[in-house]
Amino acid sequence: MSTGGGGRATARQMGSSRAVAGGIAGLASAISQSGPTEALRRFNLEGLAGAPAEEVFVALTDALCPPGGTIDEALARHALLETIAALAAEGLGNFDELSQDDLQEVFIGVVARSIEGKILNEVGTNAIKLAEDTAAVERAQRMLHTFVVGCVRDRFQAAGDTLSTLDTSQIDQYVTDLYAASLELMQTLGEAE
């Protein structure tokens, strides 16, 4: 079964996803140091500081990963938009009221959905083989989601890091390690089906 050079090599292709995760971490750091208005100023969005959080994050999506571009950029954009939609359904409130825990949930959601998207892209390009049975594929996708979200959350909490203190190399390592583990899970599921 080919995986385009292995999990770690393929994870290195996820530069846009790592950049979006880094943008969220940088935003959290800026909010904790300077407040929401100043944090948004670097994106020229300071006027949105009191707006609903989902509105601000949609505008940030355009700043962090504009429409168009490569598949990797589209996966990163999709991950951020899916995360925003999921959190908005739970009621995010206004941007200037977000806690560091809220921002951590955005980060975890973006990283998890980026990894899921990349793996599902690998399935779609036949780099990972799954059963042709639709129910088996849907079961594998649910297992992947549960596994990836759990791993991202566990890894983040085990490291004892706060979102505002993560640096680029830590984010890169999270994404690379978790992608490789998730890819291995999907390969195992594909072989078991």
Side-chain angles (χ1 to χ4, degrees):
M1 175 178 313
S2 169
T3 60
R8 295 195 184 285
T10 306
R12 283 190 287 277
Q13 298 170 8
M14 297 180 66
S16 294
S17 296
R18 288 191 309 270
V20 170
I24 299 298
L27 180 67
S29 178
I31 288 172
S32 71
Q33 292 174 11
S34 308
T37 302
E38 288 304 311
L40 290 173
R41 189 173 311 281
R42 73 184 218 200
F43 300 103
N44 202 24
L45 298 172
E46 63 273 11
L48 294 176
E54 58 266 21
E55 183 180 324
V56 176
F57 281 116
V58 168
L60 282 169
T61 301
D62 289 339
L64 292 171
C65 46
T70 66
I71 291 174
D72 182 45
E73 290 166 339
L75 291 172
R77 182 177 175 80
H78 185 71
L80 183 52
L81 290 171
E82 271 192 3
T83 299
I84 295 163
L87 293 174
E90 296 173 12
L92 272 176
N94 287 337
F95 185 81
D96 59 354
E97 299 168 348
L98 292 177
S99 68
Q100 287 293 311
D101 287 343
D102 294 330
L103 292 167
Q104 179 177 312
E105 286 305 308
V106 174
F107 175 82
I108 289 169
V110 166
V111 171
R113 285 177 176 86
S114 292
I115 291 169
E116 284 179 63
K118 183 65 176 172
I119 288 176
L120 294 175
N121 182 61
E122 294 290 318
V123 170
T125 61
N126 293 317
I128 300 173
K129 302 286 186 208
L130 289 180
E132 295 194 21
D133 173 26
T134 304
V137 172
E138 288 172 350
R139 188 172 50 254
Q141 187 173 357
R142 283 190 305 274
M143 288 175 72
L144 173 67
H145 177 76
T146 301
F147 176 78
V148 172
V149 170
C151 283
V152 172
R153 188 173 307 285
D154 291 349
R155 172 80 185 263
F156 190 79
Q157 291 172 347
D161 293 321
T162 63
L163 185 56
S164 61
T165 62
L166 285 179
D167 64 31
T168 303
S169 66
Q170 288 171 303
I171 292 168
D172 288 351
Q173 197 61 52
Y174 279 4
V175 172
T176 300
D177 291 350
L178 295 171
Y179 179 81
S182 300
L183 185 64
E184 186 176 311
L185 171 69
M186 285 305 283
Q187 289 171 330
T188 301
L189 290 173
E191 291 167 359
E193 293 296 334

